[in-house]
Amino acid sequence: MTLNNLKPAAGSVKTQGKRIGRGQGSGKGGTATRGHKGAKSRSGYSRKVGFEGGQMPLQRRVPKFGFTNINRKEYVGVNLHKLQELVDNNKITDTVTFDVLVENRLARKNDLVKILGNGELKAKLNVTVHKYTATAKAAIENAGGTAETL
């Protein structure tokens, strides 16, 4: 160690932030780096979400219509060809319950399931879910299975 490579121990020296608003002599007095006038230069200012400087905000300019039905029930659709796929891949044999669909990631545990009639079902299955379309129910029964409602 010589005089030309002296340096303080690691972590002992912290670079302080700039001291703003501490008089004209500092070079950072006056407006204290906030610029002149306007809401952003005032103390206590916080930017409101969606505020457009007094111009009518987009959320209020756009026309509103319709309503949201609070009693709406959302069903997750599972097509017949998906059930046939599970049979072909030996994931299911004869019974399809809600739990089986959750295991195979066709639904989540809090979902309501509706069997839809798209595709062809060759396997004889006993299906137990929340709802069926008329074509799906007919296809399951034509294949020799049963369609029970939860």
Side-chain angles (χ1 to χ4, degrees), residues 37-148:
K37 298 185 185 170
K40 283 169 94 173
S41 71
R42 317 288 184 198
S43 69
Y45 165 77
S46 66
R47 202 175 111 255
K48 306 288 184 287
V49 174
F51 184 67
E52 298 182 19
Q55 169 178 300
M56 187 59 67
L58 182 68
Q59 178 61 24
R60 291 185 61 194
R61 288 199 303 266
V62 176
K64 315 291 184 285
F65 62 94
F67 78 108
T68 304
N69 182 0
I70 58 166
N71 297 317
R72 179 173 169 78
K73 284 196 171 91
E74 277 285 345
Y75 288 90
V76 172
V78 176
N79 279 304
L80 290 176
H81 70 85
K82 281 284 185 193
L83 295 180
Q84 186 60 47
E85 230 174 74
L86 290 177
V87 172
D88 295 341
N89 296 336
N90 296 325
K91 297 269 172 91
I92 54 177
T93 51
D94 57 344
T95 54
V96 178
T97 61
F98 177 67
D99 298 328
V100 171
L101 294 176
V102 170
E103 276 172 34
N104 290 295
R105 297 185 174 198
L106 290 175
R108 292 190 170 147
K109 65 183 172 98
N110 296 324
D111 288 340
L112 298 172
V113 174
K114 185 171 187 174
I115 303 292
L116 309 176
N118 188 4
E120 199 179 343
L121 184 68
K122 301 177 200 112
K124 178 186 172 187
L125 293 174
N126 301 324
V127 187
T128 311
V129 291
H130 301 98
K131 265 197 174 179
Y132 303 88
T133 60
T135 52
K137 195 163 195 168
I140 291 167
E141 286 163 359
N142 286 345
T146 60
E148 295 170 32

